Amino acid sequence: MTAPRPSFLARLGLAFRAFLRALAGEPEPSALPPAPESAPPSRRALADADDLAQRPTEIAPAPVPRAPEGDLAAAHAAGALGLLALLQREGRLIDFLEQDVTTFSDEDVGVAARVVHEGCRRALRAHVTFAPIRPEEEGTRLTLEAAHDARAIKLTGAVGQPPHTGTLRHRGWRATRAELPRPVGGHDPRVVAPAELELE
Amino acid sequence: MSARHTVGVDLGTTHTALAWARPEAEGATPEVLAIPQLVGPGQLEVRPLLPSFLWLPEASEGPQPLPWDPGRRHVVGELARARASEAPGRVVASAKSWLSHSGIDRRAPALPAGAPEGVERVSPVEASFRYLDHLVEAWAAAFPTEAPLGEQDVLLTVPASFDAVARELTVEAAYAASLDSVSLLEEPQAALYAWLGATPRWRELLAPGDVVLVLDVGGGTTDFSAIQVRDRGGELELHRVAVGDHILLGGDNMDLALAELARRKLAAAGHALDRAEVAGLVFGVRAAKERLLGPSPPERVPLAVASRGARLVGATRRTELTLDEVRGSLVDGFFPVTDASARPAQRARSGLLQVGLPYAQDAAVTRHLAAFLARQAGATGAGRSLLHPTHVLFNGGVVKAAALRERLVSVLDSWLVADGGRPVRVLPNADPDLAVARGAAWYGLARAGRGLRIRGGTARAHYVGIESPAPAVPGLEPPTVALCVAPFGMEEGTRADLPPLELAVVVGSPVRFRFFGSSLRRGDQAGELVEEPAIDALEELAPLELTLPAEGRDEGEIVPVALAASLTAVGTLLLEAVPLAPRVEGERWKIELGVREAGASG
């Protein structure tokens, strides 16, 4: 007997990977590293269920709904707009960024920022897990091995010949888990927040 | 080759979850199904919990496509829950509480409760069917090469306090979703199975005579069950010995209480909030609650309430919740320190009763618990004034808050010590949201011979009301006696003795019987009669109806019958009328449970 295979979950995989690529501007489907042990249990169960973290290369490509065959740019845009819709819905991010805040007091901006911070943080944590790329404290001096991952560490200052020794200015972030909403057909991804009409 | 899976389904008041396992696999442990659902307009996600909400969009709102159904016209899950606060008249919530509400016809379209005139409505049974049907579809999508969910062994959990009618209706919903080999399991038992499954050395932790109290405080309901450990020929056995009432009180009440507290603080500062803003406040107070009732809480947590319009800065109101306020409102409000003699307050119902859910009138979980322990003092046979649990297993989302668990344990310990007993020990429950689904799948494994089963049988004795012949007196109802048809503790697949009482039924015309249950009368055997005033202590359930089909008899003929009760393998009570002079071998007719309440509007 074959083990149950969540095939349509695999399709979900593509949607978010396409989106991640759009965000990262990365041309190839890069593999996500395994989910860390510290991921919340229910979420981990979810990640295990779609086997995403463990076997990224097995995820079969499938067309993203509403995107014409081959039109990856449109699929990327739909995925990115979907994330913006999520952050607006949960944390009012678009409202906040679209408003001119120059004439408001820091207190007013601060109060609104709480709404945005709390909601966007909740949404982000439910969908993406981040881990620092370097475990060291910022400010630590360190020397990179010759075969370091150049995509994960940016060299600044007097960049000479390896081995590179310098001060860690930013620890970096790596998404170790990303489960983003998948756009389904029949919805206009450009509607990031619908207008609301209250009926009496 | 047995390819069947054992599947546990937690069809909850606020959330539904599914866990599955393969009995033939060595060391199998249940896994939770990730359930695809709409989470926003046009956005699909997979989540382990499916909110038990059903949104019935207006036609112009268009189809709400799912990967397997682009033309879908209803929504189950997270998006439906979000819509519940925005457009309450279009969203069915708490269908399960309505399913156990004996005051309405549960097969009639009555939900959403506040739906505007002309809006589509569904019955509580249909709403439950929709949630199960979503699981059937999610299963097929997740495991396209496996047999459909309907062909798996499905254990569907129900509150221990569900009466025979609510259980029957739950099974009806499951059959509608083609779950053909479904059986029922009590939720607190499932929670204990989850603990047993996760604790291989449980035999070192429990000893004969121990009583585990399962305290289940979920989003919408609170349930108590007691399960006793017994020694049978050197082997440990578990017996469910007592079940409490179905109390409509849960975490949602607590969030609303905090939101109301915050609303009043904002109103005092001159900021009036509308309904939608208060609904938004509930999210904020939930997050504040988790921080303030969790480990090492801060003194205060700020709360910001956004305006509904696109203008955010300058239109956002700020307040805060302090540790004292949250402790006062939740810990002292819902879990007050009381004596063991405290009882839930009962306000007199107003004469004109609206058809609504019978919410608990007293919000104090501790007083409901005191009443349960006192009423069930005799369940373990010990001569004390309270039932004495030795262990507590918490279940449900609410008791994730450490401060609430600590309060419940300290109050319970004070009662037990004052009654000459000892403090309880708490059994850990790693994931109270998913324990019931997981535990139901563990039970499936146990049933397949892979572990220990909890015994218990029915948690109630059941009675049929019979009017005794008496001369008609104006203004005086003829006295009713209650005939015990099914004793307490009937096991699945067993049949009660035929009570020696004949009823005369007219062929072709429906006959109604009053129907009663009792979770206390353990000694009544089938055939015993309960008369006034003891009958008043029975709990009246929705009436029964029997229609003898003509089938070769004459319309209007009077047929003497006896009533036979059995507990089906599914876990539902089956009442049948057996003719004393059968026309053909084995002739009997099923009696309908849960018929429409006479005079009640649906």
Side-chain angles (χ1 to χ4, degrees), chain B residues 555-578:
Chain B
E555 195 86 19
E557 187 187 333
I558 293 174
V559 181
V561 299
L563 298 182
S566 52
L567 196 68
T568 64
V570 172
T572 51
L573 186 70
L574 176 66
L575 284 179
E576 291 172 306
V578 184

Side-chain angles (χ1 to χ4, degrees), chain A residues 3 19 31 34 44 51 54 79 85 95 113 132 145-146 151 156 161 163 177 189:
Chain A
F19 169 71
R44 194 164 61 219
D51 249 347
Q54 279 74 16
D95 289 340
E145 313 83 64
R151 290 175 303 180
T156 56
Q161 294 298 311
R177 176 194 69 102

Side-chain angles (χ1 to χ4, degrees), chain A residues 5-6 35 41-54 179, chain B residues 31:
Chain A
R5 280 252 52 78
S42 59
R43 287 286 157 193
R44 194 164 61 219
L46 224 158
D48 286 346
D50 72 11
D51 249 347
L52 177 72
Q54 279 74 16
E179 290 149 4
Chain B
E31 294 190 38

Side-chain angles (χ1 to χ4, degrees), chain A:
Chain A
M1 206 184 84
T2 53
R5 280 252 52 78
S7 87
F8 97 92
L9 293 176
R11 296 204 293 276
L12 276 181
L14 178 84
F16 91 73
R17 287 203 306 144
F19 169 71
L20 273 190
R21 267 178 275 140
L23 272 193
E26 233 175 288
E28 64 184 82
S30 67
L32 284 171
E37 279 308 299
S38 59
S42 59
R43 287 286 157 193
R44 194 164 61 219
L46 224 158
D48 286 346
D50 72 11
D51 249 347
L52 177 72
Q54 279 74 16
R55 307 177 180 184
T57 50
E58 284 186 17
I59 295 172
V64 174
R66 282 195 64 78
E69 200 69 32
D71 192 354
L72 271 175
H76 290 174
L81 289 171
L83 178 67
L84 292 176
L86 171 71
L87 295 175
Q88 162 68 12
R89 191 166 68 232
E90 301 279 330
R92 308 282 300 267
L93 184 68
I94 310 301
D95 289 340
F96 185 63
L97 297 179
E98 279 298 297
Q99 196 173 358
D100 181 1
V101 301
T102 46
T103 57
F104 289 98
S105 69
D106 284 357
E107 200 191 337
D108 278 342
V109 176
V111 170
R114 282 201 185 281
V115 171
V116 178
H117 183 264
E118 185 196 305
C120 290
R121 181 187 175 94
R122 184 175 61 229
L124 207 55
R125 290 197 165 180
H127 294 86
V128 189
T129 306
F130 296 101
I133 285 171
R134 295 298 310 200
E136 297 88 355
E137 286 298 315
E138 287 169 5
T140 307
R141 281 192 70 73
L142 59 95
T143 301
L144 292 179
E145 313 83 64
H148 75 273
D149 182 355
R151 290 175 303 180
I153 297 174
K154 175 170 69 175
L155 302 178
T156 56
V159 181
Q161 294 298 311
H164 298 298
T165 298
T167 307
L168 184 66
R169 293 300 178 201
H170 194 292
R171 302 171 73 181
W173 293 113
R174 189 195 302 272
T176 55
R177 176 194 69 102
E179 290 149 4
L180 292 165
R182 167 196 170 184
V184 285
H187 177 75
D188 183 352
R190 296 171 304 167
V191 178
V192 173
E196 183 186 335
L197 177 70
E198 188 173 65
L199 310 176
E200 286 86 37

Side-chain angles (χ1 to χ4, degrees), chain B residues 6-145:
Chain B
T6 168
V7 176
V9 172
D10 175 8
L11 180 60
T13 313
T14 51
H15 286 99
T16 294
L18 185 153
W20 57 274
R22 276 191 286 160
E24 78 274 16
E26 200 55 45
T29 55
E31 294 190 38
V32 173
L33 179 73
I35 305 168
Q37 54 194 290
L38 290 178
V39 297
Q43 291 197 328
L44 188 83
E45 270 185 36
V46 291
R47 296 190 178 181
L49 294 175
L50 177 74
S52 307
F53 289 79
L54 170 65
W55 172 35
L56 305 162
E58 203 271 313
S60 69
E61 290 177 279
Q64 306 291 327
L66 284 172
W68 52 83
D69 182 5
R72 180 62 54 107
R73 286 283 167 181
H74 67 266
V75 177
V76 171
E78 182 56 42
L79 176 60
R81 177 166 74 164
R83 291 294 285 159
S85 62
E86 297 168 352
R90 288 273 175 182
V91 180
V92 177
S94 301
K96 186 178 179 179
S97 298
W98 289 97
L99 198 68
S100 63
H101 183 1
S102 62
I104 62 158
D105 178 359
R106 287 158 275 184
R107 296 184 182 96
L111 304 177
E117 205 59 34
V119 164
E120 177 193 358
R121 292 173 194 239
V122 299
S123 72
V125 174
E126 183 176 349
S128 306
F129 151 69
R130 295 278 177 211
Y131 306 147
L132 293 172
D133 201 40
H134 193 100
L135 295 183
V136 169
E137 295 168 339
W139 175 274
F143 306 128
T145 62

Side-chain angles (χ1 to χ4, degrees), chain B residues 131-411:
Chain B
Y131 306 147
L132 293 172
D133 201 40
H134 193 100
L135 295 183
V136 169
E137 295 168 339
W139 175 274
F143 306 128
T145 62
E146 296 286 322
L149 190 59
E151 290 173 27
Q152 314 296 342
D153 285 320
V154 175
L155 281 313
L156 182 55
T157 62
V158 288
S161 54
F162 254 25
D163 65 32
V165 180
R167 293 169 76 104
E168 172 88 14
L169 294 166
T170 304
V171 170
E172 251 181 61
Y175 285 161
S178 321
L179 301 179
D180 292 332
S181 58
V182 72
S183 359
L184 300 181
L185 174 67
E186 291 175 9
E187 285 161 11
Q189 291 190 32
L192 189 58
Y193 280 117
W195 178 78
L196 292 169
T199 316
R201 48 184 278 272
W202 68 269
R203 283 181 177 81
E204 298 162 28
L205 303 173
L206 294 179
D210 282 350
V211 176
V212 180
L213 172 66
V214 183
L215 288 175
D216 189 341
V217 189
T221 56
T222 292
D223 248 311
F224 311 126
S225 273
I227 296 167
Q228 187 176 36
V229 185
R230 293 181 188 167
D231 183 351
R232 182 147 146 169
E235 278 290 303
L236 292 186
E237 271 193 356
L238 295 176
H239 287 251
R240 197 262 293 106
V241 291
V243 161
D245 293 334
H246 196 52
I247 307 166
L248 291 192
L249 171 66
D252 294 352
N253 303 57
M254 299 170 199
D255 294 343
L256 287 176
L258 277 189
E260 175 60 18
L261 180 74
R263 188 197 65 77
R264 265 187 266 136
K265 289 178 77 166
L266 281 162
H271 306 303
L273 301 187
D274 69 13
R275 185 183 48 75
E277 286 166 329
V278 174
L281 202 54
V282 172
F283 275 106
V285 299
R286 206 171 279 157
K289 177 185 79 176
E290 272 155 28
R291 290 207 59 200
L292 290 169
L293 295 181
S296 54
E299 270 304 305
R300 56 193 70 238
V301 170
L303 262 184
V305 189
S307 73
R308 292 171 70 189
R311 239 165 52 88
L312 191 67
V313 181
T316 296
R317 309 292 166 218
R318 181 192 186 280
T319 183
E320 60 184 22
L321 283 177
T322 68
L323 189 56
D324 283 349
E325 284 168 342
V326 171
R327 288 234 161 115
S329 173
L330 298 194
V331 184
D332 295 330
F334 288 87
F335 301 87
V337 176
T338 65
D339 291 335
S341 60
R343 294 291 175 267
Q346 300 277 356
R347 282 194 308 273
R349 301 259 184 194
S350 67
L352 284 170
L353 195 63
Q354 260 195 319
V355 177
L357 285 178
Y359 289 111
Q361 296 186 2
D362 192 325
V365 172
T366 41
R367 283 195 282 271
H368 289 284
L369 181 61
F372 167 74
L373 294 178
R375 208 165 49 231
Q376 296 289 354
T380 53
R384 284 169 157 151
S385 65
L386 293 178
L387 173 68
H388 279 234
T390 52
H391 296 76
V392 164
L393 177 66
F394 285 109
N395 196 48
V398 170
V399 287
K400 280 192 273 191
L404 301 182
R405 287 199 308 269
E406 284 157 17
R407 169 57 68 86
L408 263 171
V409 167
S410 79
V411 171

